[in-house]
Amino acid sequence: MVFRRNPVSLDKLRELAKQRFAGRNTSNAATLTLAEAQQLFEELEIHQIELELQNEHLNAARAQLQSALSESSELYDSSPAGSLLLDRDGCITKLNLSAAQLLGRERARLVGGTLAQYLAEADRRLFTGLLAQVIGAGAAQVSELMLERKKGAPPSHVELRVVRLPDASGWQVILTDITERKQFESRMRASEVRWKLALDAAGDGVWAWNVQTGEVTFSSRFAQLLGGTRRDIGRRMEDWTERIHPRDRASVVAAFQAALSDRSASFSNEHRTRCQDGSYKWVLSRGTIVSRSADGRPLRMIGTYVDISIQKLTEEALRVAAQFQQAVFDSLSAQLAVLDRAGVMIQTNLAWRTYAAANGMAGAPEFIGERYADFLYGMTGQHSPTVDAALAGIAAVARGEVSQFQLPQPFHALAGDRWFSLKVTPVRDELQRIVVSHEDVTQIKAAELASVKLANTDVLTGALSRRNFLALAEQELARASRYQLPLMVLMLDLDHFKQINDHHGHAAGDAVLQSFVSTVTSVLRESDLIGRLGGEEFGVLLPSTSAEGGAALAQRIVESVRASPVEAGGEPIAYTVSIGGGCLGVETSFAALLGLADAALYQAKRTGRDRLELAVALPPPEPR
């Protein structure tokens, strides 16, 4: 582009002005006055200054325009996309360096040639059609084409965008190199084909979902799983989701949405899907996103379809069997718990849970995951010998040393004041589980204790029975003799007891006997024993007690009985007791010691009753 310069000097401007002035009509110049001439000269000076300023602005604009053109040319050449201008005949009139590099020729040699000759022969007709479409549609056209392949070189692919120039003098073409992308897609297709073949051989269906278009491609095996053909299955995501069981559809859609929104690394869901014959089968569908846009949006997802109907039927059968087993488990009255090899409870029955809840025993839901030893400690108390024995038995069963284990005696549970028998039985499976049962034997134990108490205790008065009293007395005598400890025995007999029965009745007599034992017990120490030897006759054993101490205690008994009449039939019944006491000397049996006390009792009766008499102790034998 050539710029015309304005005159830059006053002389040049004056010369031009004189020439222009000479061509004008000067007939009126002589008539100008001096003042008018002066004014005209000033106007000419001002006009000259205006022209100088205008010339300066024009020079600055020219410099800016030249700089802009230079920068535009540099940007045009440095653009990564190839840019070409074509005339009406499709010949190249201008192109940048990127376009020349894509076409593989020098820029100067490319100008004047047609662009079509540098395209692959198979795509030249497509290119000609694009030029025609731009003219017809009036909008840009885009297509992927292959460039002419040089000998020994791999094929090159470009994305070609064509727009018509504003003056309709030709076209502008933008070329973008997509060779690497096309090569990657080719490798992906080959890999996907091999993957599909492998999965089809394994019996799995394959699907590929174009997230942007909603189109889904299903493998033949996928269609076979549902009892149809690929045409029956359809090609839209809606065709697929419509087959999902209504109860499962929401969970499948949610799983897809989680994968698409990156809340999940992949998609996996078990659901029921409708087959071609209208029946439903269980399938496992898994997938992952394999392609994303530049801004991270998911473009393509591929996955598999696996028939898990048999697996689901098996799971359902196992669930029903487990429910039946638990129902049988819960129907048993014994408390049952299944332990793993570490002694942790993995299953309990209803009786177990009911007992624990009724007695405030905290634990995990149904006590699953809790150590059995901790539970047993909670029932019996810490450091219980019962727990030690039970744990030792469980360990022996676990090691296979015994086929089963049972505590020899029931254990007492503090929680609920109950008695339980404990039995341990191995399951003998790979998990090495063990079943522990607690059978409630509280009623049996209560009857046993009652029977023992009946045999060892006088039912009417609560004193020891004669047999039990004499047996315990023999043990105390042996202990006293071994350790040379004092021992005192008292024989007690109620005075005129027959008269009480005859005058007030046997019920009143029984009340007197009961009151008597209660009164004597209140005087005795915890280590002392009282037993009913017969009728109204009782014996009292005072371990580690000397004659003086025994006499003082016996005297308190006499006084307490005298001061404790019994109410019977609305009137008080006063009664007394006579006591004979004997202290251990040379006697070697309790019968002999009891004979001394009996003789002293006879003396107390003979000398007035309501009193204490002590037997005269025999001197120990002389040593030989």
Side-chain angles (χ1 to χ4, degrees):
M1 181 179 293
V2 179
F3 297 93
R4 183 177 65 85
R5 293 179 177 273
N6 292 327
V8 295
S9 67
L10 183 59
D11 293 338
K12 185 65 174 177
L13 182 64
R14 186 178 297 275
E15 182 182 350
L16 293 174
K18 285 180 178 181
Q19 291 175 1
R20 183 173 296 183
F21 183 76
R24 295 180 180 177
N25 185 5
T26 60
S27 60
N28 295 328
T31 65
L32 292 174
T33 65
L34 181 61
E36 290 175 339
Q38 182 67 29
Q39 183 180 359
L40 179 60
F41 180 76
E42 290 178 357
E43 290 179 357
L44 289 173
E45 287 289 337
I46 293 172
H47 185 61
Q48 180 184 354
I49 294 172
E50 291 176 347
L51 292 175
E52 289 175 353
L53 292 173
Q54 186 180 25
N55 186 64
E56 291 175 359
H57 287 300
L58 288 173
N59 287 335
R62 178 171 57 82
Q64 291 175 355
L65 180 58
Q66 286 178 340
S67 176
L69 289 173
S70 177
E71 291 180 3
S72 175
S73 178
E74 291 178 0
L75 291 173
Y76 182 69
D77 279 340
S78 63
S79 173
S83 178
L84 305 95
L85 294 179
L86 308 182
D87 60 17
R88 290 188 178 91
D89 297 325
C91 295
I92 302 172
T93 60
K94 186 179 180 181
L95 74 164
N96 66 355
L97 290 177
S98 296
Q101 291 173 356
L102 283 173
L103 298 179
R105 270 81 171 174
E106 295 180 3
R107 181 156 49 174
R109 295 180 61 185
L110 290 169
V111 175
T114 62
L115 176 58
Q117 65 182 314
Y118 301 109
L119 299 177
E121 186 175 355
D123 291 340
R124 291 173 186 173
R125 181 175 296 180
L126 173 61
F127 172 67
T128 303
L130 286 176
L131 297 181
Q133 289 178 19
V134 171
I135 296 174
Q141 298 294 319
V142 180
S143 182
E144 294 180 359
L145 304 175
M146 187 182 299
L147 298 178
E148 183 184 24
R149 185 175 182 181
K150 294 182 179 180
K151 293 183 179 181
S156 298
H157 299 265
V158 294
E159 181 184 83
L160 186 145
R161 178 182 178 89
V162 185
V163 295
R164 196 173 187 188
L165 294 176
D167 57 359
S169 61
W171 296 269
Q172 181 182 16
V173 178
I174 303 298
L175 299 178
T176 304
D177 189 358
I178 59 172
T179 302
E180 289 188 3
R181 193 190 80 188
K182 298 296 286 187
Q183 290 174 348
F184 175 75
E185 290 178 352
S186 177
R187 291 194 298 269
M188 285 294 295
R189 284 192 296 271
S191 176
E192 187 173 327
V193 168
R194 291 194 298 270
W195 180 64
K196 286 182 179 179
L197 291 174
L199 289 176
D200 282 345
D204 297 345
V206 181
W207 53 267
W209 177 29
N210 187 321
V211 180
Q212 300 299 307
T213 65
E215 184 179 1
V216 187
T217 302
F218 302 103
S219 68
S220 299
R221 179 56 182 165
F222 186 104
Q224 292 173 6
L225 288 175
L226 301 184
T229 64
R230 296 175 64 182
R231 179 177 298 179
D232 298 327
I233 301 302
R235 294 184 60 84
R236 305 292 301 174
M237 175 57 75
E238 294 79 5
D239 299 328
W240 185 6
T241 55
E242 194 273 334
R243 287 179 173 270
I244 299 173
H245 194 285
R247 294 183 181 178
D248 302 335
R249 193 171 297 153
S251 67
V252 178
V253 173
F256 268 124
Q257 291 175 345
L260 295 177
S261 61
D262 282 339
R263 293 198 304 271
S264 175
S266 59
F267 166 81
S268 180
N269 188 271
E270 294 181 359
H271 59 270
R272 289 162 289 183
T273 189
R274 190 179 69 252
C275 298
Q276 201 62 25
D277 61 1
S279 63
Y280 283 91
K281 68 169 47 178
W282 279 97
V283 295
L284 168 62
S285 183
R286 290 178 290 192
T288 186
I289 296 173
V290 297
S291 177
R292 293 181 181 273
S293 63
D295 57 359
R297 291 181 294 109
L299 298 177
R300 197 157 177 264
M301 178 183 282
I302 59 175
T304 60
Y305 228 40
V306 183
D307 186 351
I308 58 171
S309 299
I310 296 178
Q311 174 185 332
K312 281 294 184 178
L313 289 174
T314 303
E315 289 177 359
E316 178 64 17
L318 290 175
R319 186 186 64 81
V320 172
Q323 287 182 338
F324 176 76
Q325 183 251 17
Q326 186 66 47
V328 174
F329 212 44
D330 288 340
S331 68
L332 300 176
S333 59
Q335 299 174 17
L336 300 177
V338 181
L339 315 182
D340 63 14
R341 67 184 67 185
V344 175
M345 292 185 282
I346 57 177
Q347 187 179 1
T348 57
N349 71 340
L350 180 62
W352 186 287
R353 300 190 296 272
T354 301
Y355 168 80
N359 292 281
M361 301 180 69
E366 300 181 349
F367 295 88
I368 305 304
E370 185 173 345
R371 293 177 64 250
Y372 170 71
D374 296 336
F375 184 86
L376 195 56
Y377 276 126
M379 292 181 69
T380 62
Q382 296 292 330
H383 307 298
S384 168
T386 298
V387 177
D388 297 337
L391 297 182
I394 292 174
V397 171
R399 291 191 299 267
E401 297 175 359
V402 294
S403 59
Q404 64 178 20
F405 170 79
Q406 185 169 2
L407 282 178
Q409 297 294 332
F411 68 88
H412 181 245
L414 299 178
D417 190 22
R418 309 287 284 276
W419 289 86
F420 294 95
S421 65
L422 185 150
K423 187 175 181 180
V424 180
T425 306
V427 178
R428 303 191 187 285
D429 59 0
E430 293 183 357
L431 301 178
Q432 298 180 8
R433 293 175 295 177
I434 292 175
V435 177
V436 177
S437 69
H438 295 175
E439 184 75 36
D440 191 336
V441 294
T442 302
Q443 293 183 348
I444 298 175
K445 188 66 177 179
E448 178 185 334
L449 293 176
S451 176
V452 172
K453 184 176 181 180
L454 184 65
N456 296 330
T457 307
D458 178 58
V459 177
L460 176 63
T461 63
L464 298 177
S465 65
R466 177 184 179 87
R467 181 175 63 83
N468 193 26
F469 177 79
L470 294 178
L472 294 175
E474 288 289 353
Q475 295 175 12
E476 283 297 328
L477 177 65
R479 189 174 73 89
S481 300
R482 179 182 303 171
Y483 299 106
Q484 296 183 353
L485 299 173
L487 181 65
M488 188 76 174
V489 63
L490 304 178
M491 285 287 290
L492 297 80
D493 189 86
L494 274 64
D495 298 328
H496 305 297
F497 183 72
K498 185 176 182 304
Q499 295 178 9
I500 295 174
N501 280 335
D502 294 344
H503 183 69
H504 298 282
H506 288 281
D510 291 345
V512 169
L513 290 174
Q514 292 171 344
S515 177
F516 170 73
V517 172
S518 177
T519 301
V520 173
T521 303
S522 66
V523 176
L524 297 179
R525 302 165 301 181
E526 186 176 353
S527 59
D528 299 335
L529 303 176
I530 179 172
R532 186 179 183 186
L533 302 181
E536 68 275 16
E537 190 174 57
F538 295 84
V540 171
L541 188 66
L542 306 175
S544 302
T545 304
S546 63
E548 293 78 4
L553 187 144
Q555 188 59 44
R556 288 201 301 274
I557 293 175
V558 171
E559 294 170 358
S560 297
V561 170
R562 186 188 304 132
S564 303
V566 177
E567 288 287 336
E571 59 177 322
I573 301 176
Y575 69 99
T576 58
V577 64
S578 297
I579 302 177
C583 190
L584 179 62
V586 297
E587 291 77 18
T588 57
S589 68
F590 183 73
L593 181 58
L594 194 62
L596 287 177
D598 190 49
L601 174 62
Y602 176 76
Q603 181 65 19
K605 290 282 189 180
R606 193 171 63 82
T607 56
R609 295 184 173 83
D610 189 23
R611 57 194 304 275
L612 167 68
E613 283 288 341
L614 295 178
V616 178
L618 298 176
E622 293 290 337
R624 295 181 180 180

